[in-house]
Amino acid sequence: MKSGRLEAFSDGVLAIVITIMVLEMKAPEDTSFEGLLTVLPTFTSYLLSFIYLGIYWNNHHHLMQATEKVNGAILWANLHLLFWLSLIPFATSWLGENHTASLPVALYGFILLMSAIAYRILEIALIKHHGKQHLLQKAINKGKKEIISTLSYVISIPLAFLNSWLSLACIVFVAILWIVPERNLENLLKEKTP
Amino acid sequence: MKSGRLEAFSDGVLAIVITIMVLEMKAPEDTSFEGLLTVLPTFTSYLLSFIYLGIYWNNHHHLMQATEKVNGAILWANLHLLFWLSLIPFATSWLGENHTASLPVALYGFILLMSAIAYRILEIALIKHHGKQHLLQKAINKGKKEIISTLSYVISIPLAFLNSWLSLACIVFVAILWIVPERNLENLLKEKTP
Amino acid sequence: MKSGRLEAFSDGVLAIVITIMVLEMKAPEDTSFEGLLTVLPTFTSYLLSFIYLGIYWNNHHHLMQATEKVNGAILWANLHLLFWLSLIPFATSWLGENHTASLPVALYGFILLMSAIAYRILEIALIKHHGKQHLLQKAINKGKKEIISTLSYVISIPLAFLNSWLSLACIVFVAILWIVPERNLENLLKEKTP
Amino acid sequence: MKSGRLEAFSDGVLAIVITIMVLEMKAPEDTSFEGLLTVLPTFTSYLLSFIYLGIYWNNHHHLMQATEKVNGAILWANLHLLFWLSLIPFATSWLGENHTASLPVALYGFILLMSAIAYRILEIALIKHHGKQHLLQKAINKGKKEIISTLSYVISIPLAFLNSWLSLACIVFVAILWIVPERNLENLLKEKTP
């Protein structure tokens, strides 16, 4: 099986997930600057989630670039990832309304952790199907970024109940870490197709 | 006619249907664990419908993989399937708010039954257009899963008025049955493209 | 310019338009049959609009099948068509809540009329770009269906203020007329690619 | 890396952004002409934003037509553009409810300005990746339209606090300016592929 339709469906779901979050930003009743400022917490949550979904789309794009074939296990691993990502709008909406409350921050961290695990499962399913010698294997297991991210998510969850701002700082830190594009995989792909 | 655009449109509709259901999960007012628990029934309905739509996308993907050409009847059979699937968010929302009530469970089972019938009609339209000798025919008529699923849906509807939990169990059972990927069709396709 | 991306964007918009209408079908508070029946008018409006958007997607698909190249005028003619089609969810929602009121029925007919005109403009833009000798020209100007449809829409608008049921009957009649697939264009395409 | 999936994802986001705005047009309670007229301000805002998003889709389509390869910087520049465009529904909704208020008009102008800057950044990232000798470079830097548009947006923001109608006139003027298709780029592309 070709990977084209899996990409198209993932693109569709990610495009919708990234966009429907904006529906949470309700136009304020008041047309003053104070009115506009009431949208600020929702806006910052939206910005954070937009960046996270952008990172996932970006990495998914890189991963699929190196993918040639797809099987049933990969289709389900991909749907599993999309499921956790589809919960981001819910977590974003709750976070946007309660920036300083512990549980919304912890839930946000938890959903990011589950998404990271789901992404890892997808990677494993892809490697299993393509063989250990394949380019994919070389490209995926390079980074320490995955380990640092996962640790940060794990820490952010209990931390939210101690200090929600520190917990959010963990989450923002991971986002910044990932905005730097995945040079390794890109370079490897360049070597492959000179 | 090529089947590419039919797949793209179906992907679009399925991606939207699977994603807009999450809009039903409203962020709770309360930031306590009790507040979060109020979302649980909506969440489990969402999970169930996500899995069902994932199954349909998966099977649709397999079916179209074996499809080469498309005609007007197939286009309409496909739209008919998408129509019933597009009603799943409505049924999910009603079920999420009333897990133990009979009618929402029966409606959910009814829409799944109609989707299964619509899928069967699409299969018949595809076989008719490709010819009985075609790979498609061999691949489609293998499973007993279709018969078991359809029977389970048929039973789940009256059962909902006797015991809504047993009725839901029928529906969950079919979902589990289908998460196991359609090996038959996959193997047949593998034989075709060695 | 190739027509691929125009089709992809149109598919995206049509898939969203056809799907977001279902958001208007709110889960009833009441879990009785009477409760479910309150959704019936919204459901029938949704069904009607789903069929109309299905017809447009179908015909658009056929039209683009015969299209080879695209220019700026065609891009805008296509966006113009999508604009009127994007108003269908609004008209559907108003109609669903007020089946017997004149103005919602008239507005529904008006938006269908404008969509039909926009579709005709798109056809003209396509013919102009491809030349009169092109297959497209032969395929498009066959039907009397276009004339009957347009007349029916024109009649349905004033008729809504006399008898809204008769006006709706006009609109339903056109939908039935179009569900029969466009054999002419299909046959012509078959001749082209034997 | 190929640009195909970037286009598909952008198409998806733009298709959703352009369509969800219609959800803001709520069906009026009243079925009289007066009732329908209450939707008029929301409708005109929708029309304006539909045209702007149509322009962006159109120009993005032209730009990508001349693009051959894509890197990480381009992916993020594109996401940055999509972020600002995704805020248009919010700005449209606020504008639709408060046509004559200063701040909603200024915010609308500001988001258009940021979108224009994001588009320029995307162009720069594309030129940097393709080389100055490339067709893209020749095609992009022709127009005075970009400069006039950017100036109009810059002016529209403070102007909104003096006279919101004049400010809106600036914004409408830019939209009219761009509906005329980008002949230059089209002609250049025609030369390239005779």
Side-chain angles (χ1 to χ4, degrees), chain A residues 64-68 130 134-136 138 185-194:
Chain A
M64 287 298 145
Q65 207 82 37
T67 302
E68 280 153 18
H130 285 77
H134 193 266
L135 173 86
L136 211 59
K138 291 188 221 160
L185 189 43
E186 217 164 280
N187 292 342
L188 267 163
L189 283 168
K190 230 175 267 169
E191 282 168 31
K192 186 199 176 191
T193 53

Side-chain angles (χ1 to χ4, degrees), chain B residues 1-2 5-6 8-10 12-13 16-17 20 23-24 70-73 75-76 78-80 82-84 86-87 89-90 93-94 97-98 101-104 107 129 161, chain C residues 7 10-12 14-16 18-19 22-23 25-33 36 39 43 46-47 50-51 54-55 57-58 60-62 64-65 178-179 181 186 189:
Chain B
M1 269 183 283
K2 293 285 181 70
R5 204 178 158 187
L6 186 138
F9 183 71
S10 306
V13 171
I16 298 156
V17 169
I20 59 171
L23 291 174
E24 284 300 320
V70 152
N71 66 358
L75 292 183
W76 278 106
N78 193 58
L79 276 168
H80 178 235
L82 293 178
F83 176 73
W84 289 107
S86 81
L87 294 178
F90 169 74
S93 162
W94 210 28
E97 289 162 22
N98 310 280
S102 301
L103 199 57
L107 181 77
H129 193 51
F161 297 96
Chain C
E7 287 181 49
S10 306
D11 275 353
L14 287 173
I16 299 157
I18 217 170
T19 321
V22 94
L23 291 174
M25 278 175 65
K26 307 276 182 225
E29 294 285 308
D30 192 353
T31 62
S32 66
F33 272 104
L36 190 55
V39 186
F43 174 75
Y46 173 56
L47 179 60
F50 191 97
I51 291 170
I55 291 165
W57 177 73
N58 231 319
H60 195 268
H61 178 92
H62 280 85
M64 285 299 144
Q65 208 82 38
W178 279 98
I179 288 177
E186 218 165 279
L189 282 168

Side-chain angles (χ1 to χ4, degrees), chain A residues 5 75-76 86 90 94 98, chain B residues 7 11 25 28 46 58 60:
Chain A
R5 204 178 160 187
L75 292 183
W76 279 106
S86 81
F90 169 73
W94 210 28
N98 309 279
Chain B
E7 288 182 47
D11 276 352
M25 279 175 65
Y46 173 56
N58 230 319
H60 195 268

Side-chain angles (χ1 to χ4, degrees), chain D:
Chain D
M1 266 183 283
K2 292 286 181 70
S3 64
R5 205 178 159 186
L6 186 139
E7 288 180 49
F9 183 71
S10 306
D11 275 353
V13 171
L14 287 173
I16 299 156
V17 169
I18 216 169
T19 322
I20 59 172
M21 289 188 301
V22 94
L23 291 174
E24 286 300 320
M25 279 175 65
K26 307 275 181 226
E29 294 286 307
D30 190 354
T31 62
S32 66
F33 271 104
E34 286 72 32
L36 190 56
L37 280 177
T38 61
V39 186
L40 197 66
T42 318
F43 174 76
T44 50
S45 307
Y46 173 56
L47 178 61
L48 182 62
S49 295
F50 191 97
I51 291 170
Y52 260 110
L53 286 163
I55 290 165
Y56 269 102
W57 177 73
N58 231 320
N59 289 350
H60 195 269
H61 178 92
H62 280 85
L63 194 64
M64 286 299 144
Q65 207 82 35
T67 301
E68 280 152 19
K69 41 191 181 158
V70 152
N71 65 359
I74 291 166
L75 293 182
W76 279 106
N78 193 58
L79 276 168
H80 178 236
L81 171 62
L82 294 179
F83 177 73
W84 288 107
L85 294 177
S86 81
L87 294 178
I88 286 181
F90 169 74
T92 305
S93 162
W94 210 28
L95 185 68
E97 290 162 23
N98 310 279
H99 255 294
T100 50
S102 300
L103 199 58
V105 177
L107 182 77
Y108 196 86
F110 173 73
I111 286 170
L112 289 178
L113 176 62
M114 294 311 290
S115 304
I117 292 171
Y119 191 81
R120 186 69 193 132
I121 291 171
L122 177 60
E123 285 182 337
I124 291 167
L126 284 167
I127 291 169
K128 216 174 160 185
H129 193 52
H130 285 77
K132 288 231 163 182
Q133 254 43 45
H134 193 266
L135 173 87
L136 211 59
Q137 166 72 0
K138 290 187 222 160
I140 286 171
N141 275 337
K142 293 272 160 174
K144 294 175 190 168
K145 283 205 286 191
E146 283 83 357
I147 299 158
I148 297 169
S149 309
T150 310
L151 279 177
S152 299
Y153 297 147
V154 169
I155 292 163
S156 79
I157 299 169
L159 196 59
F161 297 97
L162 297 172
N163 187 324
S164 58
W165 289 109
L166 269 179
S167 176
L168 270 175
C170 280
I171 292 168
V172 170
F173 161 75
V174 176
I176 293 165
L177 192 73
W178 279 97
I179 289 177
V180 182
E182 182 107 26
R183 296 271 174 228
N184 290 342
L185 188 44
E186 219 165 277
N187 292 343
L188 267 164
L189 283 167
K190 228 175 266 166
E191 283 168 30
K192 187 198 174 192
T193 52

Side-chain angles (χ1 to χ4, degrees), chain A residues 144-156:
Chain A
K144 295 174 187 166
K145 282 205 288 192
E146 283 83 357
I147 299 158
I148 298 170
S149 309
T150 310
L151 279 178
S152 299
Y153 298 146
V154 169
I155 291 164
S156 78

Side-chain angles (χ1 to χ4, degrees), chain C residues 108-154:
Chain C
Y108 196 85
F110 174 73
I111 286 171
L112 289 177
L113 176 62
M114 294 311 291
S115 303
I117 292 171
Y119 191 81
R120 186 72 193 129
I121 291 171
L122 176 60
E123 286 182 336
I124 291 166
L126 283 166
I127 291 169
K128 217 176 160 184
H129 193 53
H130 286 76
K132 288 230 163 184
Q133 253 43 45
H134 194 266
L135 172 88
L136 210 61
Q137 167 71 1
K138 291 188 220 159
I140 286 170
N141 276 338
K142 294 270 161 175
K144 295 175 189 169
K145 283 206 286 190
E146 284 82 358
I147 298 157
I148 297 170
S149 309
T150 309
L151 278 177
S152 299
Y153 298 146
V154 169

Side-chain angles (χ1 to χ4, degrees), chain A residues 1-2 5-6 8-9 12-13 16-17 20 23-24 70-73 75-76 78-80 82-84 86-87 89-90 93-94 97-98 101-104 107 161, chain B residues 7 10-11 14-16 18-19 22-23 25-33 36 39 43 46-47 50-51 54-55 57-58 60-62 64-65 178-179 181 186:
Chain A
M1 266 184 283
K2 292 286 181 70
R5 204 178 160 187
L6 186 139
F9 183 70
V13 171
I16 299 155
V17 169
I20 59 172
L23 291 174
E24 286 299 320
V70 152
N71 65 358
L75 292 183
W76 279 106
N78 192 58
L79 276 168
H80 178 237
L82 293 179
F83 177 72
W84 288 107
S86 81
L87 294 177
F90 169 73
S93 162
W94 210 28
E97 289 163 22
N98 309 279
S102 300
L103 199 57
L107 182 77
F161 297 97
Chain B
E7 288 182 47
S10 306
D11 276 352
L14 286 174
I16 298 156
I18 217 169
T19 321
V22 94
L23 291 174
M25 279 175 65
K26 306 274 182 227
E29 294 285 308
D30 191 351
T31 62
S32 66
F33 272 104
L36 190 56
V39 187
F43 174 75
Y46 173 56
L47 178 60
F50 191 97
I51 291 170
I55 290 165
W57 178 74
N58 230 319
H60 195 268
H61 178 92
H62 280 85
M64 285 301 145
Q65 207 82 36
W178 280 99
I179 288 177
E186 218 164 278

